[in-house]
Amino acid sequence: MANRALGAPRLTGPQPLPEQAVAAQSKAQLDTLIKAGDSRVADGAFFLAMLACALSVLGLVGLIVYELVTKSSLSWHAFGWRFFFRSEWDPVNDQFGAFPFVYGTIVSSLLALIMAVPLAIGVAVYITEMSPRWLRGALAFTTELLAAIPSVIYGLWAIFVLVPLLRQYVQPFLARYLGWTGLFEGPPYGIGMLAAGIILAIMVVPIISSITREVMTSVPQQQREAVLALGATRWEMIRTGVLRNARAGIAGGVILGLGRALGETMAVTMVIGNRPEIAKSLFAPGYTMASVIANEFSEATGDLYLSALVEVGLALFIVTIIVNILAQFLVWTVTRGTPARSHA
């Protein structure tokens, strides 16, 4: 009895298995269950059906790329890389250059992000961290409802409401006090690059806000509690404990919003002015890659004219794909990759 008391205690009952052994045992049990109900014909048919669904998406993208490349070959051989740096757009004389459209797309999209990002992040922070529970659902639903409104409705609202406001109040005010910058000069038409940027900002707010709320929710609650326990205020907790950890995902949401702004067509076409010019002033009319395709594709009579428009579409397609891949990667780093890393 003394030896038993002084020695190591006796262990009774089943001993815990190592993690690898548990995983192997679970896999063996799963394989046994699968084999018990195995039907090779049904299983094979199901696998082939799902494989066909997955490959059809890749095939569709491949067909789109193939069609764009083949239909734009005439313009590519005629102008080469100079097509994207030429400013002349003269269908009568078969002289085409996409630089005004590239410029209009970049300026209107960046202008939209400048206005939309602070608003979208503010909405997301309030809904996630500060809103009372009874108001949170209504605010989230109303914000996401903006994404469900068709773009032509945004365009009609801009024509009848936004453009008169810009022409009568906003543009004269900006020209009076900020005209010295060169960005706000010229006649106040109402339509132009500024109107396009504002309507795009309204359209991308729900996208950025929704993704920002998602990545902020993925930040562990312990992170917030730890920062508050150190004596931080609510603002310091949100800034250091939440936004800093979610910044990669927020950047991904911003880039996804950029992708929406780059490809928006109808609303921009209705308010941007549709003039292939490069102007410093935001009051001046402009053109985007999406709007020139929508406006002139049905009027393209010559083969070179049609090929030039398809080449614009190919460039827009490639840019959109790259932007979306980058955005998805940044969101993944927060929501699935390393959401709990602390940078404090």
Side-chain angles (χ1 to χ4, degrees):
M1 295 295 292
N3 291 337
R4 180 177 299 178
L6 294 175
R10 295 182 59 186
L11 301 177
T12 60
Q15 302 301 313
L17 298 175
E19 293 183 3
Q20 296 179 350
V22 173
Q25 183 177 358
S26 300
K27 187 177 185 304
Q29 294 174 351
L30 181 61
D31 293 339
T32 303
L33 292 174
I34 291 176
K35 291 178 180 178
D38 186 21
S39 175
R40 295 186 181 277
V41 176
D43 238 14
F46 178 75
F47 173 78
L48 291 177
M50 296 302 101
L51 179 62
C53 292
L55 293 180
S56 64
V57 177
L58 296 177
L60 181 61
V61 174
L63 288 174
I64 292 175
V65 173
Y66 173 78
E67 193 69 18
L68 291 174
V69 170
T70 55
K71 296 298 183 181
S72 63
S73 59
L74 186 61
S75 174
W76 177 258
H77 290 306
F79 304 109
W81 288 104
R82 295 182 297 113
F83 177 78
F84 298 103
F85 302 97
R86 290 164 52 96
S87 300
E88 186 178 4
W89 187 262
D90 186 5
V92 176
N93 297 314
D94 283 340
Q95 295 297 319
F96 301 100
F99 189 67
F101 315 129
V102 175
Y103 173 82
T105 302
I106 293 175
V107 171
S108 60
S109 300
L110 292 181
L111 184 63
L113 290 185
I114 291 173
M115 293 183 284
V117 170
L119 178 60
I121 294 178
V123 170
V125 168
Y126 181 78
I127 293 176
T128 306
E129 304 293 335
M130 305 175 68
S131 174
R133 188 178 299 272
W134 60 270
L135 184 59
R136 187 173 303 165
L139 283 176
F141 173 78
T142 305
T143 304
E144 294 176 356
L145 183 63
L146 293 174
I149 299 176
S151 60
V152 67
I153 303 301
Y154 280 111
L156 290 173
W157 175 83
I159 289 176
F160 293 110
V161 178
L162 179 63
V163 170
L165 288 176
L166 291 176
R167 182 173 59 245
Q168 297 176 16
Y169 303 104
V170 178
Q171 289 185 350
F173 176 83
L174 293 175
R176 181 180 304 169
Y177 295 102
L178 297 176
W180 56 271
T181 62
L183 298 176
F184 307 102
E185 59 182 8
Y189 295 123
I191 61 172
M193 201 69 71
L194 181 62
I198 293 175
I199 202 67
L200 283 176
I202 298 173
M203 298 179 73
V204 303
V205 160
I207 299 175
I208 301 175
S209 177
S210 177
I211 296 177
T212 300
R213 285 192 290 111
E214 179 183 348
V215 296
M216 288 178 64
T217 304
S218 69
V219 176
Q221 185 65 25
Q222 293 84 349
Q223 187 73 25
R224 299 172 172 84
E225 296 172 355
V227 177
L228 290 174
L230 293 175
T233 63
R234 171 180 284 186
W235 156 243
E236 292 172 335
M237 179 271 292
I238 294 173
R239 180 172 58 86
T240 61
V242 179
L243 292 179
R244 183 176 295 182
N245 287 275
R247 63 178 181 263
I250 295 174
V254 172
I255 296 177
L256 277 178
L258 175 62
R260 170 67 189 276
L262 290 173
E264 179 53 41
T265 305
M266 187 55 63
V268 175
T269 303
M270 299 171 73
V271 298
I272 199 171
N274 302 317
R275 185 183 298 173
E277 296 179 355
I278 299 175
K280 181 180 179 181
S281 176
L282 298 179
F283 294 170
Y287 232 150
T288 65
M289 290 190 286
S291 61
V292 70
I293 297 173
N295 269 338
E296 302 188 16
F297 193 84
S298 60
E299 303 174 359
T301 54
D303 293 337
L304 186 59
Y305 190 5
L306 182 62
S307 180
L309 291 174
V310 176
E311 187 173 358
V312 173
L314 176 62
L316 181 60
F317 180 81
I318 293 175
V319 169
T320 304
I321 292 295
I322 294 174
V323 165
N324 279 273
I325 290 175
L326 180 60
Q328 292 290 347
F329 173 75
L330 290 175
V331 173
W332 176 84
T333 60
V334 173
T335 56
R336 296 185 181 180
T338 54
R341 283 189 301 179
S342 175
H343 302 276

